Amino acid sequence: MKTRNFMAGIFAIAFALSSAAAIAQADMAKGEVKKIDESAGKITLKHGPIKNLDMDEDGMTMVFRVQDPAMLKQVKVGDKVQFQAERATAGITVTKIEKQK
Ligand SMILES: [Cu+2]
């Protein structure tokens, strides 16, 4: 019984880890910061594929809104970044951004 619970626990953890990794992989797109417009709350990114937005092409440059203006202080022009973006009524919005490690 103990062994069975242990195995169930292992499977639960493995499942949680693999699905979390899959989600992170699907959502995080890679890009390079081209321009930051703090007053407008916008960032221009040259980006790779963004699966959740059905953008498959590589090397597309476009302007994104940012969910929180503070995000624009975390990066600077020329930085290689990883980000998440979502389609919102106001336009495509970056919901998370961080420097690529
Ligand atoms: Cu694009």
Side-chain angles (χ1 to χ4, degrees), residues 45 47-48 50 53 55-57 59-64 83 92:
L45 296 168
H47 70 80
I50 308 177
L53 296 179
M55 289 186 195
D56 298 324
E57 68 271 57
M60 176 187 182
T61 299
M62 60 189 273
V63 181
F64 295 83
F83 66 99
I92 295 173

Side-chain angles (χ1 to χ4, degrees), residues 32-33 43-47 60-62 64 81 83 94 97:
E32 186 186 330
V33 181
I43 187 166
T44 306
L45 296 168
K46 182 177 177 189
H47 70 80
M60 176 187 182
T61 299
M62 60 189 273
F64 295 83
V81 296
F83 66 99
V94 173
I97 192 164

